[in-house]
């Protein structure tokens, strides 16, 4: 596989390895059946909550997809559908539906009417570069603040929210390594007195969010710094 | 390297398509085939021209979205390699490469190289059912699965649903059985049987 991609035979020259972002952590709350807070809307597979804790470990997305697809959803969605099967087609005249449709149409029209000259790739690359350099595996307050300002100027706001979340978390833990918070040996320094919570961000207006703290309680284990030694 | 592309352009499933010729300069041999298209499309967009529509998702060989007929073969010249995993080093400087959408009546063209593969979904849905849990099944460890069956099940799981076999073979399932021994063939075959 490596040879196929790089054209270099790893049996003869050392493999070139570099880090890359390919997954984001955090997301929707689901119940035991993987249904979100919206009845009938399931989040599963790669979009699943996490069998692995709030921090995703390597190579687990594929497992998640397989486990959910093969073992979980066939047993859970059926129970929901079995009582829904008698529900007639839902009308699209409902005022909420009309409002939602209009909102989406307006946003799309606004984007289309700009008659932009730049490609999707152009934005993807630029935003990607900001996120990679300033909200990457190692992040610090100065760079995060710069990133927030740069994103506000040109881009959609999800990246901004990720930076805001990283900025408020004044500790290092899991995939979040704040350069200001490390041990002398360069390991992640946790602050469980102040940050033993999951931040659930609530959209309150255009680019306005409110943070809801959802406390993390551990009954059977004590949280501690992870040691790779 | 410099490449000449002859690409199938078709606005939608009803209009007639035609080949369009593009020159792509400064192609690196380390680019994937799709990245080469990205470079071309970026240029076309900057020139205010219509980019070439193509399907892709994972770009790591596991989703089966990157359907393209390249020089008369689905996914191009290599065996068992999807278009996104095909690199330009498989071609030579100055080459002319012909790129078409999947050729099959079952896959109508949406635009250019992007086809509608929902016929696969329809076949799967034709035998579809939803089960409701009404009690506990026997413990799986107490049901022994012969090794041969387990191996076949694994082969079935290896299909990524890309549709290359359908595009390649007018008889639908021979390609898959011969080359990938995989499930799409059986789904297609059983779907056909049911309709007949
Ligand atoms: S069996 Fe057909 S659809 Fe499945 S991976 Fe092989 S070529 Fe693609
Ligand atoms: S893009 Fe997923 S297999 Fe090629």
């Amino acid at each position: 596989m490596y040879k196929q991609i790089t054209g270099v035979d790893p049996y003869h020259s050392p493999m070139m390895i570099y880090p890359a972002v390919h997954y984001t952590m955090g997301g929707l709350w689901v119940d035991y059946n993987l249904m979100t807070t919206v009845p009938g809307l399931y989040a599963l597979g790669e979009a699943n909550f996490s069998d692995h804790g709030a921090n995703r470990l390597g190579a687990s997305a594929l497992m998640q997809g397989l486990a959910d697809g093969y073992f979980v959803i066939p047993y859970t969605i059926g129970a929901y559908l079995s009582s829904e099967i008698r529900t007639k087609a839902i009308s699209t005249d409902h005022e909420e539906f009309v409002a939602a449709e209009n909102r989406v149409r307006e946003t799309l029209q606004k984007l289309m009417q700009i008659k932009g000259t730049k490609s999707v790739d152009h934005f993807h690359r630029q935003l990607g570069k900001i996120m990679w350099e300033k909200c990457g595996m190692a992040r610090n307050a100065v760079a995060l603040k710069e990133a927030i300002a740069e994103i506000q100027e040109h881009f959609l706001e999800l990246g901004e929210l990720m930076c805001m979340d990283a900025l408020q978390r004044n500790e290092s833990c899991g995939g979040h390594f704040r350069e200001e918070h490390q041990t002398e040996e360069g390991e992640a320094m946790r602050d469980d007195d102040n940050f033993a919570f999951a931040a659930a961000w609530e959209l309150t207006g255009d680019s306005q969010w409110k943070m809801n703290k959802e406390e993390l309680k551990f009954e059977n284990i004590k949280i501690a710094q992870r040691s790779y030694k | 390297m410099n490449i000449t592309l002859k690409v199938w352009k078709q606005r939608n499933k009803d209009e007639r398509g035609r080949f369009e010729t593009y020159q792509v300069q400064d192609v690196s041999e380390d680019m994937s085939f799709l990245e080469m298209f990205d470079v071309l499309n970026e240029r076309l967009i900057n020139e205010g021209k219509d980019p070439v529509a193509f399907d892709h998702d994972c770009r790591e060989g596991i989703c089966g979205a990157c359907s393209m007929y390249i020089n008369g073969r689905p996914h191009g010249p290599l065996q068992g390699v999807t278009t996104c995993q095909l690199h330009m080093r498989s071609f030579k400087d100055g080459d002319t490469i012909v790129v078409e959408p999947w050729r099959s009546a079952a896959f109508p063209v949406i635009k250019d190289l992007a086809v509608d593969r929902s016929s696969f979904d329809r076949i799967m849905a034709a035998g579809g059912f939803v089960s409701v849990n009404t009690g506990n099944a026997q413990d799986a460890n107490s049901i022994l699965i012969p090794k041969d069956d387990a191996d076949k099940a694994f082969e079935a799981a290896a299909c990524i649903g890309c549709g290359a076999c359908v595009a390649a073979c007018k008889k639908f399932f021979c390609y898959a059985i011969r080359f990938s021994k995989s499930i799409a063939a059986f789904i297609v075959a059983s779907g056909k049987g049911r309709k007949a």
Side-chain angles (χ1 to χ4, degrees), chain A residues 39-175:
Chain A
L41 181 64
Y42 288 73
L44 59 145
E46 283 201 80
N48 186 336
F49 67 122
S50 184
D51 291 333
H52 309 267
N55 187 45
R56 179 198 182 246
L57 307 177
S60 51
L62 218 49
M63 181 243 94
Q64 196 105 57
L66 295 173
D68 292 358
Y70 281 123
F71 306 119
V72 182
I73 210 67
Y75 293 98
T76 65
I77 203 168
Y80 176 81
L81 289 177
S82 65
S83 51
E84 277 300 310
I85 208 152
R86 272 170 235 98
T87 309
K88 298 260 156 12
I90 297 165
S91 141
T92 51
D93 300 335
H94 194 283
E95 64 178 285
E96 285 298 328
F97 184 95
V98 175
E101 196 184 22
N102 284 341
R103 211 161 43 235
V104 172
R105 184 173 296 126
E106 269 166 34
T107 314
L108 291 180
Q109 254 166 20
K110 204 166 117 192
L111 284 174
M112 296 307 284
Q113 272 163 7
I114 296 172
K115 294 242 173 289
T117 51
K118 302 211 165 73
S119 66
V120 173
D121 256 14
H122 169 90
F123 291 105
H124 186 186
R125 271 170 208 265
Q126 279 204 357
L127 180 57
K129 192 153 191 283
I130 297 173
M131 296 300 286
W132 173 245
E133 279 174 357
K134 299 182 175 173
C135 189
M137 277 171 299
R139 54 279 286 274
N140 62 59
V142 178
L144 284 168
K145 284 182 191 148
E146 284 171 11
I148 291 172
E150 288 167 28
I151 296 167
Q152 277 170 348
E153 256 176 70
H154 304 291
F155 300 101
L156 300 172
E157 59 279 78
L158 185 62
E160 183 190 345
L161 180 59
M162 285 165 71
C163 293
M164 281 170 57
D165 183 70
L167 183 61
Q168 69 79 26
R169 190 166 281 275
N170 282 311
E171 65 156 353
S172 293
C173 65

Side-chain angles (χ1 to χ4, degrees), chain B residues 34 55-67 75 82-85 160 162:
Chain B
L34 300 187
D55 242 347
H56 63 99
D57 183 24
C58 70
R59 296 204 179 199
E60 58 178 40
I62 58 171
C63 76
C66 52
S67 45
H75 294 303
T82 53
T83 302
C84 59
Q85 296 297 290
I160 56 176
C162 70

